[in-house]
Amino acid sequence: MSIFAKGERLGSTQGRYKIKITTTDGRTFYWHKRGQLHTVEEDVARIFVANFKPALFQVNADGSLSPPVPGVTSSIAKVESEPA
């Protein structure tokens, strides 16, 4: 359940953004959720990047985020947003 109607924008943003994930070993991924590239509104992307805590999440080989799993996930060095 959400306070926003499906497809309702949070503000006056234009377009969608994808989240680029860079691991500590230099590899890059784009955030995937439920097996698909996950895109968000510009304001959500800006907030996500500004508040992301690399100690809480790591990235899987498919680009999805999860809690750290030794030998399965990779540490994240930084996240950035890019127009989709």
Side-chain angles (χ1 to χ4, degrees), residues 35-84:
Q36 296 182 350
L37 178 64
H38 187 61
T39 61
V40 295
E41 295 288 337
E42 180 182 16
D43 52 350
V44 175
R46 189 173 41 251
I47 292 166
F48 181 86
V49 169
N51 295 299
F52 186 76
K53 306 286 187 242
L56 298 178
F57 295 98
Q58 291 190 349
V59 65
N60 290 301
D62 67 357
S64 62
L65 298 176
S66 74
V69 178
V72 177
T73 58
S74 299
S75 297
I76 297 172
K78 67 179 178 176
V79 293
E80 304 168 273
S81 64
E82 292 182 356

Side-chain angles (χ1 to χ4, degrees), residues 14 18 21 25 42 47 55-56 67 83:
Q14 295 180 6
K18 53 190 176 181
I21 303 165
D25 62 4
E42 180 182 16
I47 292 166
L56 298 178

